[in-house]
Amino acid sequence: MRTSKFFAVPTIALGAMLLSAGPAMAQTDNGGEADGTTDQNQSWSFQADLDTLNNSGTVGDVLIEGQGNQATVYMTVEGAAETFMDGPFPHAQHIHIGAQGQCPGPEADEDGDGVVSTPEGEPFYGPIGTSLTIEGDTSPDSGLAIDDFPGGSSYTYERTLELSDEALASVVDGTGVVVVHGVNPELMPEEAAAKQSFLDPELPLAATLPAACGTLTASQMGEMPEGGADTGVSGGAQGSNMALAAGGGALALGAIGAGAYFMRQRTVES
Ligand SMILES: [Cu+2]
């Protein structure tokens, strides 16, 4: 049976069904090599262009390559706020999940202070599903652990982490949204720049304000390897599949970056 015509959603659902059938199958096995990993070998790939929110000037690209719940996140971010209290401006960044899968427009500014705060954006992109920290915990609990996030005006980010079932389901569902936070207060309306964050009264609103946002969509990179998944199940090809995915990811990210750069060049010229 060929499954290559199916999109990522049904194949992952199929993987989950096979996985739940796993223990029964393992019992009939002699138990020697029951690693159970082949059922989760389905690879997937999602990407997002991060567009500026709140006049921040911040833009970026995201690529997430995954197999089951294991995911490697590649990001490039440019034009972000540079310094905060004499240090690099920390940029909390998350995969938000489980809402409309959209980035908010200016009309989401309910209190009329001229910016769309993180709570004001939540009806569009939802709560935090994964905190894209540099190290340590990646759960929503670390959403404001600003010491654990990248900082400065431009950076690249790469981390392999485990998505929760909820986060994976949302990403696959098309409602995963990557949000980078932290806006230079000089770019904000005075009233908003003087406010403290709604999320942490110890922080200025500028530190948690959404700066860039993009909805994760299935990338073509993720659809192509599906025909090859059958061969991956048969054993030793697993490692090389992962290497291929990672290499392809880097290539794709480079291509995305070049595209974004080209677009900006055109914007400047026109
Ligand atoms: Cu966020």
Side-chain angles (χ1 to χ4, degrees):
M1 184 183 73
R2 303 284 302 178
T3 57
S4 59
K5 284 182 181 171
F6 289 95
F7 202 44
V9 180
T11 47
I12 284 176
L14 181 64
M17 285 168 58
L18 289 171
L19 186 66
S20 59
M25 291 165 67
Q27 282 177 354
T28 63
D29 203 313
N30 62 16
E33 297 177 273
D35 60 15
T37 55
T38 50
D39 296 332
Q40 284 192 301
N41 198 32
Q42 184 60 55
S43 60
W44 50 269
S45 175
F46 278 70
Q47 66 183 61
D49 294 334
L50 301 180
D51 293 322
T52 292
L53 276 185
N54 288 315
N55 193 40
S56 69
T58 307
V59 294
D61 307 296
V62 183
L63 178 69
I64 308 182
E65 300 271 3
Q67 282 194 314
N69 290 65
Q70 287 289 113
T72 301
V73 180
Y74 307 88
M75 289 178 69
T76 60
V77 173
E78 296 171 8
E82 187 167 11
T83 54
F84 179 76
M85 295 174 68
D86 298 327
F89 200 117
H91 293 291
Q93 50 181 24
H94 319 108
I95 304 173
H96 288 252
I97 63 167
Q100 300 178 50
Q102 291 177 6
C103 294
E107 71 281 0
D109 173 21
E110 289 193 353
D111 64 6
D113 63 357
V115 294
V116 177
S117 68
T118 295
E120 285 172 334
E122 198 164 306
F124 297 82
Y125 48 60
I128 296 170
T130 305
S131 297
L132 299 174
T133 50
I134 294 171
E135 58 181 8
D137 179 57
T138 59
S139 78
D141 293 343
S142 294
L144 286 174
I146 57 171
D147 292 339
D148 294 335
F149 287 104
S153 60
S154 68
Y155 58 88
T156 60
Y157 173 85
E158 177 181 341
R159 184 170 181 191
T160 298
L161 44 78
E162 186 162 329
L163 298 182
S164 67
D165 291 343
E166 294 83 358
L168 177 61
S170 182
V171 168
V172 170
D173 202 27
T175 58
V177 181
V178 174
V179 181
V180 173
H181 302 261
V183 177
N184 180 351
E186 290 175 13
L187 299 175
M188 296 165 57
E190 262 180 54
E191 181 193 348
K195 284 185 179 178
Q196 295 303 106
S197 171
F198 302 106
L199 307 174
D200 181 348
E202 301 287 303
L203 295 171
L205 177 58
T208 62
L209 202 64
C213 177
T215 302
L216 290 163
T217 57
S219 71
Q220 293 176 344
M221 292 296 298
E223 295 170 37
M224 282 192 291
E226 296 213 353
D230 288 346
T231 59
V233 170
S234 65
Q238 206 172 328
S240 58
N241 272 2
M242 287 187 70
L244 188 68
L251 267 176
L253 193 67
I256 293 165
Y261 179 73
F262 181 60
M263 275 175 57
R264 277 195 287 277
Q265 287 289 100
R266 283 181 51 188
T267 306
V268 168
E269 283 168 11
S270 60

